[in-house]
Amino acid sequence: QSLPDSLVGRITRELNTELFGASVMALANRDPDTLTAQQLLVLATWVPGPTKNTLEWEKERVRLARLAVTKSPDYGPAHSVLADKLAYLAAVDGPSDTDEAKTVAEKSRRRALELSPGDAVTLFNVAQSQWHSGHVKDAIVTMRRVLELDPNHGLAGFFGVVIPFTCKQASDDVLASAIAFDKSLSPDNPVRWVTLTWLGWLHLNRDEYEPALAAEKRAAQIFQIPYTVMRHAAILNVLGQTSDAAKLIETQKKNWPNISPAHFANVTMPRLCRDFPGETKMVEFYRRLAE
């Protein structure tokens, strides 16, 4: 499967990133209670640049998404963002992984699909939530639908290629396609932390540890989240650099007080890999880190 690489697609991806970032900055200093559901959605949605890598910041995104749903209960995109945010926090922060959060995320996904089945932005958020929740097969189907609705949705095209290999070894063609997409982005495009960390993921699952580490180091220069930090640490650990792995995780304690290799080893990765029967390699990387 190849990724969209038309000139129009590349230009659209770059402009969308810049425009969304500008919208966030324009709304950032306004009182959320005075904003519309649509404006709150902009603030609640992840966008490179204004984003902060902290638990506190992410919890505020959840609050904004809840406020958007309260203000406009029939606004599908707001439900989709709430579903994405709750599923993400449950995946990376142990105390956020509650039955209530998982139930609300699931209900929010269903409600978003009921209200906005033809909206690419809504479906993209739903697919993200499905993936974080370990419903990888569902996420693949939803990402394909996003591309049907918006063929120039670059990240949907990228995820459609890589997420089937969340816990499965990717072929040379898949890896080459992912590398080509990353190279199609401008060097200063902040979205590249996503593409680079996924290259690290694909390399790790292929036992290509040095290229995996190189990709994660490059991603970390742009942005980091618990997923990327823990994968970076897992790669360091498998290369015998255990003390460096421990230091890397420790640096995130200020931003994510509950960040834990044990949570990733026992919850996050088994959940992500449950649609891949017999594929335990990725889980083992994190269990070795937790030990």
Side-chain angles (χ1 to χ4, degrees), residues 166-182:
T166 298
C167 296
K168 181 179 177 181
Q169 183 170 305
S171 67
D172 290 346
D173 288 345
V174 168
L175 180 61
S177 186
I179 291 172
F181 181 81
D182 173 67

Side-chain angles (χ1 to χ4, degrees), residues 198-219:
W198 264 101
L199 290 180
W201 195 314
L202 297 180
H203 280 301
L204 177 59
N205 230 350
R206 287 163 54 99
D207 296 323
E208 297 167 351
Y209 305 133
E210 293 293 349
L213 181 59
E216 288 296 347
K217 284 184 175 179
R218 292 175 66 197

Side-chain angles (χ1 to χ4, degrees), residues 1-6 13 154-162 174 176-182:
Q1 184 177 357
S2 61
L3 291 161
D5 59 358
S6 68
R13 290 196 298 269
L155 274 182
F158 180 78
F159 285 138
V161 169
V162 299
V174 168
S177 186
I179 291 172
F181 181 81
D182 173 67

Side-chain angles (χ1 to χ4, degrees), residues 32-112:
D33 290 325
T34 67
L35 300 179
T36 66
Q38 290 80 1
Q39 290 171 324
L40 288 165
L41 176 70
V42 171
L43 285 179
T45 302
W46 181 89
V47 64
T51 304
K52 295 180 182 179
N53 172 35
T54 68
L55 175 61
E56 183 178 322
W57 191 89
E58 290 293 348
K59 285 186 173 182
E60 176 64 9
R61 299 316 102 185
V62 171
R63 189 184 78 81
L64 293 171
R66 288 187 188 276
L67 182 57
V69 168
T70 300
K71 287 196 171 192
S72 187
D74 294 331
Y75 185 47
H79 289 276
S80 75
V81 171
L82 180 58
D84 180 23
K85 292 300 177 185
L86 288 173
Y88 168 65
L89 279 179
V92 302
D93 180 64
S96 298
D97 185 34
T98 65
D99 289 340
E100 179 187 3
K102 285 179 280 192
T103 298
V104 174
E106 175 61 31
K107 288 182 178 178
S108 297
R109 286 195 292 268
R110 289 201 304 267
R111 188 63 176 145

